[in-house]
Amino acid sequence: MTKVPGLTKNRVLIIGGGIAGLSASVRLAQAGLPVTLFEESTLGHGASTRNQGWLHSGGWFAKENIHLASRCYKSLQQTIQCCPDCLEPQQQGMAYLFSNPDTDVSSWLTTWENVGIPFKKLPVEEIFEQIPRLDKSQIYDSYLLPDRSIRPEILLNQIAITAENLGVEIRTQTHISGFLKENCSITGVVTGSGEEIPGRAVVLACGAAGTSLWSCSREFHVGEQSEFTWVALKSHLVSVSPGLSNLPFCVVDRGGFNHIPHAADSIFGNNRWKTVPYSTGPDVDPDEIEQTLQTIKQLIPTFSRKEHKINSWSGISTQAMHVDQIEPGQAPLPTVIDHSLESPSIQNLFSIFPGRATLWPQLAEETRNTILEKFKLTDIPSEDPPWDIQE
Ligand SMILES: Cc1cc2nc3c(=O)[nH]c(=O)nc-3n(C[C@H](O)[C@H](O)[C@H](O)COP(=O)(O)OP(=O)(O)OC[C@H]3O[C@@H](n4cnc5c(N)ncnc54)[C@H](O)[C@@H]3O)c2cc1C
């Protein structure tokens, strides 16, 4: 193994160049810490550029978790402020559609009001104008909320440029294969080519892959119980080309079945997240795709599979749920774990999960605060994030 000269032991080492790692790197560099980020492939190679691009307003989560919804709404505003170019053009928001006359619509409106998410009634005639082939008997009420469809790769690129301008060293095509350890402390990382890189803190921002690195750090405390449960959740997406409409929508009372248009395509998600083992690959379950295509056909009866190019894929999102949190998969909260506070206790190791990509500014803030508090650097003058909302 070779030791790399010139890297101080004070460096924060981030593993993973998705939206979590990149946004955290910005806030840590702003606090004056030297930061190196490692990505084994290209930036955003993981879930961050393979997701649906639904920038959540929080409207969909509001009934389940008001706190999560208000975080989403703030993150949406910060994303639009920091990177307006990532918004798909000519969209004003997302239609929240109600398809069942028995649904208690007023309870949704009250929750949105309580969270402070702006919404306005969208006459159903307007919906039918924007989605001309929609079956009129299927929709009886609709509201416009500020959710957007975004191009994640543009947002990611903007955050990466901001990070580099702040001095973050970004090393792509660099796989991290293990840690440097001293007793119960992590003191650095080891790359796939054998470089040893020292650092004062290591941040795992590598989604499901972090669990294999994490298990290697657990070796020296076998048998002790973790406070967190790692959950891998799989969901399926279907892309229809040419697209069916430029209006993003979600059908509230069909489990949040949703349509996120991207350029000339329509991407449909069924909002079902199944718990899977980490070892599960991105193979597609044909039943999930069939169900999605059938729901499209119910909503748009003239939809014909022969007239469109149809692609389908699945992806896995990893979350860490604290034992106190509700059922895995229900609350995709941003999570920062300081492994020294867990059992087994590992010093200088942190794991971060955005929950949903939308929540990246919240996660970056929590990561910064956790690490500064940990190293008693709280007297560092606080600098507003580059994506702060201008009033
Ligand atoms: C199908 C699907 C649809 C989704 N849709 C949405 C949506 O519409 N809106 C939304 O807000 N959220 C959505 N999400 C959730 C969102 O995509 C994720 O929460 C978010 O992208 C996770 O970001 P991340 O940076 O933590 O992980 P990733 O983006 O997965 O980044 C991890 C990175 O770490 C790298 N890496 C892994 N191991 C190593 C290693 N050993 N060394 C170096 N690098 C390594 C990987 O190459 C990868 O680039 C969706 C998720 C899925 C799966």
Side-chain angles (χ1 to χ4, degrees), residues 188-264:
V189 297
V190 182
T191 69
S193 62
E195 289 175 67
E196 289 184 355
I197 302 172
R200 84 190 303 181
V202 173
V203 179
L204 293 175
C206 42
T211 52
S212 55
L213 286 165
W214 158 242
S215 61
C216 94
S217 71
R218 288 177 67 108
E219 283 161 16
F220 37 92
H221 287 281
V222 171
E224 291 185 42
Q225 185 61 48
S226 164
E227 300 260 312
F228 285 88
T229 304
W230 267 250
V231 193
L233 296 164
K234 187 171 183 175
S235 193
H236 288 74
L237 299 174
V238 173
S239 141
V240 171
S241 178
L244 299 171
S245 161
N246 193 35
L247 178 69
F249 65 80
C250 89
V251 190
V252 177
D253 44 15
R254 285 196 193 188
F257 181 85
N258 57 78
H259 167 251
I260 308 288
H262 286 288

Side-chain angles (χ1 to χ4, degrees), residues 9 14 32 65-66 71 85 123 141-142 149 167 175 201 210 226 249 256 280 283 293 305 324 338-339 355 358 368 389:
K9 279 192 169 178
I14 299 180
N65 187 330
I66 228 168
R71 283 167 154 209
D85 289 349
D141 208 354
S142 56
S149 52
H175 171 70
S226 164
F249 65 80
T280 303
D283 46 307
L293 289 169
R305 299 181 195 199
D324 293 341
D338 172 353
H339 290 283
T358 302
R368 174 192 187 277
I389 304 164

Side-chain angles (χ1 to χ4, degrees), residues 23 40 60-61 118 120 151 160 218 221 264 281 296 318 359 373:
S23 56
E40 67 182 6
W60 169 248
F61 302 114
K120 68 171 186 186
R151 290 180 54 192
R218 288 177 67 108
H221 287 281
I296 301 172
T318 310
L359 291 158
E373 272 167 32

Side-chain angles (χ1 to χ4, degrees), residues 132-151:
R133 294 164 66 185
L134 193 65
D135 179 355
K136 295 191 175 168
S137 69
Q138 297 278 337
I139 305 300
Y140 78 99
D141 208 354
S142 56
Y143 294 84
L144 190 71
L145 273 77
D147 307 56
R148 298 297 186 88
S149 52
I150 62 165
R151 290 180 54 192

Side-chain angles (χ1 to χ4, degrees), residues 352-370:
I352 65 174
F353 301 91
R356 287 284 180 271
T358 302
L359 291 158
W360 63 272
Q362 305 274 324
L363 180 71
E365 219 48 37
E366 285 184 28
T367 307
R368 174 192 187 277
N369 295 342
T370 304

